[in-house]
Amino acid sequence: MDNTRLTIACEENQEGGYDIDVSFERDYRLKFREAFLSVDKPIPPYFIEERGIKGECAGNSAVTNILSHIKNVIGKSMKTDSRIFTDREIDSMFEFKELYTIRRFAEIAGVKFDESKFTNRKEFQEYFQKWLKEDKK
């Protein structure tokens, strides 16, 4: 299954401009990231009206309005960073980003994982599938 996610984060900086960070993930793996600096303010959430959320017309939905606005803001901004991530880089980030989440899950669920059995997301997925099958027996 192909799972994709586009994340757009906007934050006002100390100079009064706006930092916009865009990242794209496929199958929960970060593929690329771009950062922009804008003087234009991204659309605030309180500008979204109920009719845009509840209406049936996709062309006039809240999402299309937000994306259209952010596209214009980014188009007039300055690109400050961009990066494509290789599988090797993503695997090296595993310990810092994902292992923490796995440890928290194990703590909340009250289970113990053998962390020596996996070093990246794919290995953990395989380990976890085997762990589930063994636990059911």
Side-chain angles (χ1 to χ4, degrees):
M1 183 169 144
D2 189 28
N3 182 330
T4 58
R5 177 181 304 179
L6 177 69
T7 304
I8 304 169
C10 305
E11 186 175 327
E12 187 171 4
N13 61 34
Q14 293 176 340
E15 293 81 34
Y18 298 90
D19 296 319
I20 303 169
D21 188 69
V22 181
S23 58
F24 179 79
E25 296 177 13
R26 174 170 281 133
D27 295 329
Y28 305 101
R29 294 177 67 86
L30 185 62
K31 292 297 183 183
F32 76 83
R33 179 185 166 275
E34 291 183 303
F36 305 90
L37 176 61
S38 176
V39 293
D40 294 338
K41 183 175 185 171
I43 191 168
Y46 56 82
F47 276 20
I48 304 305
E49 297 177 0
E50 189 172 340
R51 64 188 165 111
I53 300 292
K54 293 192 174 187
E56 293 182 17
C57 177
N60 199 23
S61 72
V63 170
T64 57
N65 290 330
I66 290 169
L67 291 174
S68 177
H69 178 77
I70 198 72
K71 178 182 178 271
N72 291 333
V73 169
I74 289 172
K76 294 187 281 181
S77 69
M78 180 177 74
K79 187 185 252 189
T80 57
D81 190 25
S82 62
R83 184 153 181 216
I84 294 176
F85 294 91
T86 66
D87 286 339
R88 177 176 273 162
E89 289 174 303
I90 293 166
D91 287 344
S92 71
M93 288 187 254
F94 178 81
E95 187 170 341
F96 302 107
K97 296 183 102 180
E98 299 184 59
L99 192 52
Y100 172 79
T101 305
I102 292 168
R103 286 177 177 159
R104 279 291 289 147
F105 170 75
E107 179 185 322
I108 291 167
V111 297
K112 181 78 174 144
F113 295 132
D114 183 356
E115 294 178 12
S116 68
K117 303 284 185 186
F118 53 88
T119 59
N120 59 44
R121 178 187 291 265
K122 183 157 182 63
E123 288 176 4
F124 175 72
Q125 289 170 338
E126 291 168 358
Y127 169 82
F128 189 67
Q129 288 172 357
K130 288 177 187 173
W131 184 86
L132 284 174
K133 288 177 186 174
E134 289 173 5
D135 192 50
K136 288 182 181 181
K137 290 180 183 179

